[in-house]
Amino acid sequence: MRHLYSCPLRWSDMDAFGHVNNAVFVRYLEEARIDFMRRLAPGDGSPSFTGGSVVARHEIDYVRPLVHRHAPVAIELWVTKVNAASMTIGYEIKDEDTLYLRASTVVVPYDFAEGRPRRITAEEKTYLKEYLDDAAQQEGAVAV
């Protein structure tokens, strides 16, 4: 399953060449990731997904320029890998027939009170498994 986020484009997102600046795409990924994590949180008093997290790595392939327009752009997001203390999230920023960007982010759950990374709980793994990409599972890229 994939999470879908509808991302509005802002006039200030453009650079001097009239398209969305490459650094702004990182903010788009962040918006989609935060929306995803908030929707994962069970909200029934469970501590899952309520602590902090830090980004350990971004990898981005810019496929084609995105020109400013009034319509939002779609960001599809899914989980490609779950380890003991990190997860990798895959993304595509696209319209129905145009791909602008492919990316991945390694996210590490972090205990800010302790000042160190923490392990992903069994409950969190259960929620994350729902968003594992089928292709990644078939290639053996998932370590759950």
Side-chain angles (χ1 to χ4, degrees):
M1 176 168 46
R2 292 188 175 193
H3 175 71
L4 182 61
Y5 177 70
S6 182
C7 185
L9 305 181
R10 294 161 284 271
W11 182 257
S12 62
D13 294 347
M14 280 194 310
D15 61 17
F17 300 108
H19 53 71
V20 174
N21 183 278
N22 65 325
V24 171
F25 280 106
V26 175
R27 189 172 69 228
Y28 291 173
L29 300 177
E30 177 184 48
E31 288 178 30
R33 190 173 59 253
I34 289 170
D35 186 67
F36 172 66
M37 298 304 276
R38 284 189 177 149
R39 292 176 193 274
L40 280 179
D44 57 2
S46 167
S48 291
F49 302 106
T50 57
S53 63
V54 295
V55 170
R57 175 185 173 90
H58 282 302
E59 189 171 320
I60 300 173
D61 293 321
Y62 298 95
V63 177
R64 102 173 352 149
L66 175 58
V67 178
H68 182 269
R69 80 278 178 101
H70 295 290
V73 68
I75 302 177
E76 287 188 10
L77 176 152
W78 62 96
V79 176
T80 62
K81 191 173 185 179
V82 179
N83 290 323
S86 70
M87 69 190 92
T88 304
I89 298 173
Y91 313 81
E92 288 181 343
I93 297 181
K94 62 187 185 178
D95 288 323
E96 201 168 295
D97 58 350
T98 306
L99 178 65
Y100 301 104
L101 178 141
R102 274 190 198 98
S104 66
T105 301
V106 176
V107 179
V108 176
Y110 199 82
D111 184 332
F112 286 101
E114 295 291 324
R116 62 181 174 81
R118 67 167 181 82
R119 292 181 118 25
I120 295 173
T121 68
E123 183 180 42
E124 290 168 334
K125 283 183 182 181
T126 299
Y127 288 111
L128 291 169
K129 283 181 187 178
E130 293 179 33
Y131 290 91
L132 283 172
D133 181 72
D134 290 337
Q137 286 180 344
Q138 291 170 1
E139 294 169 11
V142 179
V144 180

